[in-house]
Amino acid sequence: MQTIFLLFFIAGILVDNSYPQISIHSNENNCDNYQCKPNPRDAQTPMQVLVNSNSYFAFKLFRKVSSSESHQGGISKNNVVLSPLCISSAFAMLALGARDNTLDQILKGLDFRASEIQERMIHEGFCELMHMLNNRRVGHQMEIGKCLFVQNQLYPEERFLCGLKNLYRGDIFWENFKNSAATEQHINSYIKRKTHGKISKLVNEINPMTEILLISYIYMKVKWKKPFNPKYTKEDNFYVNSYTVVKVPMMFQSGMFEIGRDDEKFCTILKMPYEGDTVAYFILPDKGQLERVASSLSCKVLQKWKSRLSNSSIDVYIPKCLVSGEIKLKNIMNSLGVTDVFTDKADLSGVTGQPQHRLSEAIHKAVIMIDEKGTEASAATSMDMVSLSKPVAICLNRPFIVIIEEQKTQSLIFMAKILNASEK
C-alpha cells in the first residue's frame, strides 16, 4: 500500500500592518453536530484547561528549541522566534484525524492529561480561544487560521473536515501536487496574503508524493500603549557577544513602567503594554547568563516575575528590529514523545480513511517586528507623571528574550530569544 505523505507548515507573525478578515471556505458536509459548544456551567471551561496546558507546552517547547538551535561548540548562533499557540493548535488540529497511540502521543506531547480534559474539550477549547483572540479591538488585531491543501480526487474524512471547518476556522483547497510549481505558487501566495507579505515563501520544492498539506498561521497587529517617538531613535551598538558588535536603530522613551529584578536568575524584567489586553515582557539577562535564563523559563518563573514587578520611572532603550526564525519540529516533537506521527507506525486514518500515512515534517516560520508604532503625534502628546528622582535605565543592547502574552486569556502568543537584533 502506498504511503501518503503529509506536510505540516506552521507560520506565525507579529507585525504592524492591517489585515483582512479571514474567509472560511464552506463544504457540503453536514457538520452541524461538530461545533464549538462549551458548557458555561462547567466549573472550569475547556478554554481555561486548554490555556494552562498550552502554557506548560510553550515553555517546554521554547527550552527545547532554544537549546537545540543555540549551541554549536558552546556558542549561540541563531535567533529563536516562535508562536507556541500556533504550533499547539496545529498539532491539535492534526489530532482530529489521529487514532490510538498516535493520538495519545500528540495529546501528551502538548501537555494534555486525560484526567483533566477530554479530547472533545481540547478542540472546543481551541475553538473558544480562537474566537476570543480573533475578535478585533482598538489598537489590537489578531487572526489565527488553518488551511488544508488536498490532492485532487482524495477525499478526507467528513469528521475531520467538519472539525477543521467548525472548530479551527479552516480553509480547504484541492490541488495537483504532481504540478509542484503551480501548487507551491498557490500555497506561497496564500500565506503571503494571510501574513500581509511578511512571509512570502513558506514552501519550497514540495515532494510530488505529498497528498495532504496542513498549514497553521497566526497574524497579530498591536500598537504600544505608549508609543516611541521616532525622532528619538538613534543608531547604537548591539553587543551580540564578546567578539561581535553590530549597529542597530535604538528606540528610546522615558516614563513609568513596570520593572523587576531576579537575582537568582540573573536577569531584569520589563513589562511593556500594548493597546488592548496584550503585553510584552522583555527579559534582559546579565552578561553571559542568556542560556541559563532561557533554560530555566517556566510558568512558575513567569508568575514569580509578574508578582515582583513594580512601577518605576524608567529610561527604556529597545532596538528597532525585524527578526525571523524557521524551526523544523520533527526532532523537537520526537524529544517530547511525539514519535509515531513521523513514522510508518502513524495512525492518521481519521484524516483520509486510509490506514498507512505519516507526517514527513512539520516546519514553523515566525517573524516579529518591533518598532515605534503609534503616530508621531500621539507619541509627542503622551506623557507620564514621573518622580523627580533619577530614572532607572534599561538598555536592551545585548541578547534578550521576549514573551508576548494576551492577558485576558493568559495565552502566550509569541516567544523569542533575540541574539542579534540586526539579523533578519
Side-chain angles (χ1 to χ4, degrees), residues 245-261:
V245 180
V246 296
K247 294 291 185 180
V248 298
M250 190 70 73
M251 305 183 299
F252 166 79
Q253 69 167 291
S254 183
M256 297 294 293
F257 295 97
E258 292 186 60
I259 192 171
R261 172 72 190 174

Side-chain angles (χ1 to χ4, degrees), residues 163-232:
L164 175 68
K165 172 190 171 184
N166 287 346
L167 299 176
Y168 290 94
R169 301 172 56 86
D171 290 342
I172 304 169
F173 299 99
W174 271 262
E175 298 287 339
N176 179 10
F177 285 98
K178 307 298 182 184
N179 187 352
S180 57
T183 300
E184 288 171 17
Q185 183 179 7
H186 183 199
I187 294 168
N188 286 328
S189 63
Y190 172 88
I191 202 66
K192 182 178 180 179
R193 185 174 72 254
K194 293 300 184 181
T195 62
H196 215 269
K198 297 302 180 182
I199 296 179
S200 59
K201 195 169 186 179
L202 181 66
V203 299
N204 187 31
E205 298 182 357
I206 293 178
N207 188 329
M209 295 294 292
T210 299
E211 296 196 350
I212 293 182
L213 186 147
L214 303 97
I215 290 177
S216 174
Y217 65 87
I218 181 171
Y219 171 93
M220 183 167 147
K221 171 189 172 182
V222 284
K223 294 181 179 180
W224 296 117
K225 185 169 288 186
K226 301 174 183 177
F228 291 80
N229 192 326
K231 75 178 183 180
Y232 296 130

Side-chain angles (χ1 to χ4, degrees), residues 39-57:
N39 185 352
R41 295 175 295 178
D42 287 347
Q44 192 175 35
T45 67
M47 191 193 74
Q48 290 172 325
V49 178
L50 175 89
V51 168
N52 291 337
S53 295
N54 274 348
S55 296
Y56 282 108
F57 170 75

